[in-house]
Amino acid sequence: MSDDTRQTTDTRVLDRLDGMLPRLEALYKDLHKHPELSFAETRTAGVVADDLKRLGFEVTTGIGRTGVAGVLANGPGPRVLLRADFDALPVQEQTGLDYASTATGTDPDGNQVPVMHACGHDMHVTCLLGALDLLAGARETWSGTIVAVFQPAEEIGSGAQAMVDDGLFDKVGTPDVVLGQHVAPLPTGMIGCHPGPALAATDALRVRMFGRGAHGSRPEMAIDPVVMAASTVMRLQTVVSREIAGGDTAVVTVGALNAGTKDNVIPDEAELKLNIRTYTPEVRTTVLESITRIVQAEATASGADRAPEITTLDTFPVLVNDQAAYERTTRALSTHFGTEIVDHGPATGSEDCGILATASGAPLCYWFFGGTDPAVFAAALKNGTVGRDIPSNHSPHFAPVINPTIGIGVQAMTVAALTWLAPH
Ligand code: ZN
Ligand code: ZN
């Protein structure tokens, strides 16, 4: 197929987009108003399944608890997996939008928490359903099989693995390529993609350090877990600065430190929660071993009677964009949008989309698309206040502009899919 043919095909497929946008905007606002926490996405799964059926997809629900997959077989050709994640976060929305969420949910500890689509997964669902609508409505232009995967629980790094473990590829077949996208705090129209390791591996750890409680006036009777934890936090700062080579990258953050209830009571234990980002197995091993060594040594230094406990809260593998898949997909996107695809370098964020590729042996291309008003972004850039003024994913103020973000996300997914499907 020549590039000319591909251009013609795109136009025929994309013709219906403008007429579809009001319905997609309504869908997006509905999803945004009704966010659901990881593995609780039952309403969202229902909305997705209904739309897939309307479009003529063969639908399977309840894969990996709440995941949904749709298959549209349309003659011989490649099997192209298009993925959107659909869970939300325990964040109190502060955007002030008229479609802002006031939803609540129950977190894994049983607490009632506010819920918000603060990572934009509602945008991913909207854009994928829009792309599927375009592709299903122009079946005469392509040949092959589209597999649409709507994945739960990305935010806790469990959803992709849960779908794989529940036999996803037995149900939908093994894909020839996996494509996914994420809305980002970049100006609308900007698309970013990095070949190779593009998103970091994450390990989230809970560390319990055990001391011996006593009256605050009798420190000689205690083994103070507050001092033990404080010393551990400081020593952990040396893992990256002293043990990781200058050319390598890692992040070690202590995001939570909890101990005690009262000024005159030395508590029994302290708890730390750590978040670690790495890009290679070697660096990851070094960092995890160093953390374990330091935590144990600080407990020993304090004279603790009981060894500390380190447990994994969640873990994401590094996301690797296949070089050839990256080149083929970004070339199609660049040609379609008439713009350079920005190589933003490796990001310290994490994503479990890569599991769908590694588990099936398919190459992956995963890209970012901007959701910020370009004028607002340009002003912040000029003032050097991007970090302050442009809300990023997970912020209670994160609010992608609806137009043209939805249209761009739909086009990106559609064009990327078409470049892998066979021409008819
Ligand atoms: Zn997120
Ligand atoms: Zn996300």
Side-chain angles (χ1 to χ4, degrees):
M1 182 172 71
S2 73
D3 275 357
D4 288 352
T5 316
R6 188 172 291 138
Q7 287 301 304
T8 317
T9 306
D10 286 358
T11 312
R12 283 160 62 200
V13 178
L14 293 168
D15 265 355
R16 289 168 49 243
L17 176 58
D18 282 352
M20 203 185 281
L21 286 174
R23 193 179 61 74
L24 292 176
E25 177 169 339
L27 169 68
Y28 173 74
K29 288 179 174 174
D30 177 68
L31 293 170
H32 192 83
K33 261 189 202 168
H34 298 98
E36 295 169 300
L37 291 173
S38 303
F39 285 132
E41 313 91 334
T42 49
R43 181 186 182 277
T44 310
V47 170
V48 166
D50 287 349
D51 212 37
L52 288 172
K53 284 175 198 154
R54 178 182 69 83
L55 297 172
F57 280 69
E58 192 186 308
V59 180
T60 311
T61 57
I63 310 177
R65 294 167 67 177
T66 44
V68 181
V71 176
L72 185 64
N74 187 40
R79 186 175 293 266
V80 177
L81 191 156
L82 311 177
R83 179 270 203 177
D85 43 7
F86 63 22
D87 56 330
L89 286 158
V91 171
Q92 177 81 61
E93 179 155 358
Q94 293 174 38
T95 59
L97 294 165
D98 59 2
Y99 53 93
S101 164
T102 55
T104 58
T106 307
D107 76 7
D109 298 328
N111 305 313
Q112 278 293 110
V113 291
V115 186
M116 174 191 175
H117 267 299
C119 202
H121 298 182
D122 45 353
M123 182 63 75
H124 307 166
V125 172
T126 305
C127 293
L128 179 50
L129 285 173
L132 298 176
D133 199 334
L134 291 177
L135 291 161
R139 269 173 255 197
E140 72 282 7
T141 65
W142 57 272
S143 183
T145 299
I146 295 173
V147 176
V149 171
F150 292 86
Q151 184 211 297
E154 185 281 330
E155 293 293 354
I156 57 172
S158 304
Q161 192 63 51
M163 289 188 83
V164 170
D165 291 346
D166 201 13
L168 172 66
F169 298 118
D170 296 334
K171 298 178 208 297
V172 303
T174 304
D176 295 299
V177 67
V178 173
L179 303 172
Q181 62 180 355
H182 206 300
V183 65
L186 303 167
T188 57
M190 184 182 284
I191 294 179
C193 192
H194 178 68
L199 286 152
T202 294
D203 291 278
L205 306 179
R206 185 208 307 269
V207 177
R208 291 177 69 196
M209 307 195 82
F210 305 104
R212 188 191 311 134
H215 197 286
S217 67
R218 301 286 307 278
E220 75 279 13
M221 304 296 288
I223 294 170
D224 191 340
V226 174
V227 174
M228 199 189 302
S231 184
T232 303
V233 171
M234 294 311 294
R235 183 85 196 182
L236 287 174
Q237 308 310 311
T238 66
V239 173
V240 175
S241 70
R242 301 292 84 196
E243 299 190 50
I244 301 303
D248 289 330
T249 306
V251 178
V252 175
T253 292
V254 181
L257 165 52
N258 296 302
T261 51
K262 200 171 181 305
D263 58 294
N264 64 353
V265 178
I266 296 171
D268 269 334
E269 99 173 57
E271 181 197 64
L272 312 180
K273 286 182 180 168
L274 275 60
N275 193 283
I276 298 132
R277 308 284 168 139
T278 54
Y279 295 96
T280 68
E282 295 75 22
V283 171
R284 177 171 179 264
T285 301
T286 300
V287 170
L288 291 175
E289 286 178 356
S290 304
I291 288 169
T292 303
R293 189 191 72 237
I294 287 169
V295 166
Q296 287 169 348
E298 289 293 349
T300 303
S302 292
D305 300 323
R306 184 176 160 193
E309 279 177 20
I310 302 177
T311 48
T312 300
L313 295 173
D314 55 55
T315 181
F316 292 74
V318 64
L319 179 145
V320 181
N321 274 326
D322 175 80
Q323 181 70 34
Y326 160 83
E327 283 169 16
R328 181 165 170 178
T329 308
T330 56
R331 197 184 313 123
L333 293 174
S334 178
T335 303
H336 172 74
F337 288 108
T339 170
E340 284 280 297
I341 305 304
V342 178
D343 181 351
H344 47 66
T348 49
S350 294
E351 245 300 333
D352 68 355
C353 184
I355 290 173
L356 300 176
T358 49
S360 64
L364 169 73
C365 186
Y366 189 87
W367 64 89
F368 292 94
F369 63 110
T372 306
D373 183 326
V376 173
F377 193 91
L381 199 60
K382 191 165 162 235
N383 298 332
T385 55
V386 170
R388 190 192 71 195
D389 294 346
I390 308 297
S392 65
N393 304 72
H394 293 206
S395 157
H397 301 283
F398 185 67
V401 293
I402 287 179
N403 292 308
T405 308
I406 290 177
I408 289 171
V410 171
Q411 289 178 68
M413 192 50 96
T414 307
V415 168
L418 281 172
T419 199
W420 288 92
L421 291 161
H424 194 71

